Amino acid sequence: MSSYQKELEKYRDIDEDEILKTLSPEELEQLDCELQEMDPENMLLPAGLRQRDQTKKSPTGPLDRDALLQYLEQQALEVKERDDLVPFTGEKKGKPYIQPKREIPAQEQITLEPELEEALAHATDAEMCDIAAILGMYTLMSNKQYYDAICSGEICNTEGISSVVQPDKYKPVPDEPPNPTNIEEILKSVRNNDKELEEVNLNNIQDIPIPMLTELCEAMKTNTYVRSLSLVATRSGDPIANAVADMLRENRSLQSLNIESNFISSTGLMAVLKAVRENATLTELRVDNQRQWPGDAVEMEMATVLEQCPSIVRFGYHFTQQGPRARAAQAMTRNNELRRQQKKR
């Protein structure tokens, strides 16, 4: 029998109930607190279950976060800052470093003609910078100075020789003007089949009501003059995509359709692609940059539509899978070749 087992033998006949009867209420409370199972390192438990409640005071009221932050800030301002062990006086100690002059050995000294010596002695920093660039000393200047001196036939460097790269001056680019298209007039012209209206451009108009876009697609079903329809960045979703799909099944004059940068999901894109198969006049289709990636099934459907629709010669979408991308590229090459042969005839 080991020494540890011998040590445990003397506690075998102890009566726990008798010991508990002799404890005071304070000792029983302390024992109950010690027997609580707590795991302070378990981050999945709330803070109140990771440690014992040692608060003896009763709460004074509900938590006021703003008042607590204000109290902490006030307390931090009232605390006296610790004095520095060595007070700062601003006195400079030691001697400044002076780089020693390097004497050029006699074998490294270069003797130029008096005319060149005089020209270099009176040359400006800009001229020295251009000469260094022409001689290929690109380590003495920034990349911008080097390429400006090489590409330009005149002296354009005014900063002098310096290897410190300086940022180019920012050229502000003005914002694009808002789309001035009057949606109500466009809708009226489409309904009346106006022969002068060949392009409908509603790009970047984000406050178009969904019923108005649906009415536009409904009016496009019978229109015979509009050749291009662009709904880029109009916050269109699946309802508009379904309306566009219904329009493609009946319209026989539209040649270009652009619905990029919208909120169309894979379901809406699939409906448009299925409708394209029933349309023989569409030559350009752009559906890229939607809110979410449509998925592998939609990309495979895109490649299949391009293979089955020889009329489409321009398609706007960035494929993420190699298989559909290769099929689409091959189909577009074939479609453009067929179009070229038709023009020759």
Side-chain angles (χ1 to χ4, degrees):
M1 184 179 295
S2 62
S3 59
Y4 177 71
Q5 292 177 346
K6 293 179 179 179
E7 186 70 18
L8 293 178
E9 283 294 328
K10 62 181 181 180
Y11 299 109
R12 177 171 296 179
D13 298 333
I14 294 179
D15 190 358
E16 292 85 355
D17 295 335
E18 293 294 333
I19 296 178
L20 293 175
K21 291 179 181 179
T22 60
L23 296 178
S24 61
E26 291 79 6
E27 293 175 340
L28 289 174
E29 183 180 356
Q30 183 179 0
L31 178 61
D32 182 48
C33 185
E34 293 292 338
L35 291 177
Q36 291 181 5
E37 295 183 1
M38 295 292 175
D39 189 2
E41 297 182 358
N42 190 354
M43 302 300 295
L44 300 178
L45 291 176
L49 300 179
R50 277 184 267 160
Q51 57 187 0
R52 301 182 182 89
D53 186 8
Q54 303 177 4
T55 304
K56 302 300 182 182
K57 297 181 179 180
S58 58
T60 57
L63 175 63
D64 188 352
R65 184 175 180 273
D66 295 336
L68 179 60
L69 291 177
Q70 185 177 2
Y71 170 76
L72 294 176
E73 292 177 0
Q74 185 66 25
Q75 188 179 19
L77 293 175
E78 293 177 356
V79 174
K80 184 180 179 181
E81 295 184 359
R82 185 179 61 181
D83 297 334
D84 296 335
L85 298 178
V86 179
F88 176 74
T89 59
E91 179 184 358
K92 295 183 179 180
K93 298 183 179 181
K95 298 180 180 179
Y97 173 75
I98 300 176
Q99 185 176 3
K101 294 183 179 180
R102 176 179 174 271
E103 295 182 2
I104 302 176
Q107 60 272 18
E108 295 183 6
Q109 294 182 359
I110 301 175
T111 303
L112 300 176
E113 296 181 1
E115 297 178 355
L116 294 177
E117 289 282 357
E118 184 178 359
L120 292 176
H122 296 85
T124 62
D125 291 343
E127 294 172 344
M128 292 294 293
C129 186
D130 281 10
I131 293 173
I134 295 173
L135 296 177
M137 301 178 182
Y138 55 86
T139 58
L140 299 178
M141 63 196 71
S142 63
N143 291 337
K144 184 177 183 302
Q145 291 175 331
Y146 176 74
Y147 287 109
D148 287 347
I150 293 297
C151 300
S152 177
E154 300 178 355
I155 297 176
C156 55
N157 288 311
T158 59
E159 303 171 358
I161 297 179
S162 174
S163 60
V164 178
V165 179
Q166 298 182 359
D168 298 335
K169 292 183 178 180
Y170 172 72
K171 297 180 180 179
V173 179
D175 296 335
E176 294 183 1
N179 194 335
T181 304
N182 191 328
I183 305 173
E184 296 180 355
E185 293 182 0
I186 290 293
L187 181 58
K188 183 178 179 180
S189 300
V190 173
R191 285 175 176 172
N192 297 333
N193 202 12
D194 187 0
K195 63 180 180 180
E196 296 182 357
L197 182 63
E198 296 184 355
E199 181 181 0
V200 176
N201 185 349
L202 303 181
N203 295 347
N204 301 318
I205 305 179
Q206 301 182 0
D207 55 351
I208 306 177
I210 294 179
M212 185 171 292
L213 288 176
T214 306
E215 293 177 6
L216 176 64
C217 295
E218 189 69 23
M220 283 291 299
K221 291 181 180 180
T222 57
N223 188 281
T224 58
Y225 292 103
V226 176
R227 300 290 183 266
S228 175
L229 175 61
S230 183
L231 303 176
V232 177
T234 55
R235 303 179 68 87
S236 300
D238 288 346
I240 305 302
N242 294 328
V244 170
D246 295 338
M247 178 267 297
L248 290 176
R249 291 187 179 94
E250 300 185 19
N251 185 279
R252 293 297 177 264
S253 62
L254 189 66
Q255 298 178 359
S256 175
L257 175 63
N258 191 345
I259 53 175
E260 292 180 341
S261 303
N262 284 303
F263 298 157
I264 302 175
S265 66
S266 58
T267 306
L269 288 179
M270 191 69 75
V272 173
L273 293 174
K274 290 181 179 179
V276 170
R277 293 183 178 181
E278 305 177 17
N279 189 298
T281 60
L282 194 68
T283 60
E284 180 180 3
L285 176 62
R286 300 186 180 276
V287 296
D288 198 13
N289 193 27
Q290 301 301 325
R291 186 175 188 178
Q292 60 184 1
W293 178 56
D296 296 337
V298 176
E299 291 192 355
M300 294 296 292
E301 182 68 18
M302 290 178 182
T304 305
V305 168
L306 294 178
E307 292 172 348
Q308 297 178 357
C309 298
S311 62
I312 298 180
V313 294
R314 289 185 294 272
F315 184 71
Y317 179 77
H318 180 73
F319 288 91
T320 58
Q321 301 297 328
Q322 179 64 25
R325 185 190 302 118
R327 290 175 54 191
Q330 186 177 2
M332 293 301 296
T333 303
R334 184 203 61 187
N335 294 349
N336 282 274
E337 181 64 21
L338 292 175
R339 176 61 62 88
R340 186 182 65 83
Q341 294 176 1
Q342 291 176 358
K343 287 183 178 179
K344 281 187 176 182
R345 297 174 185 174

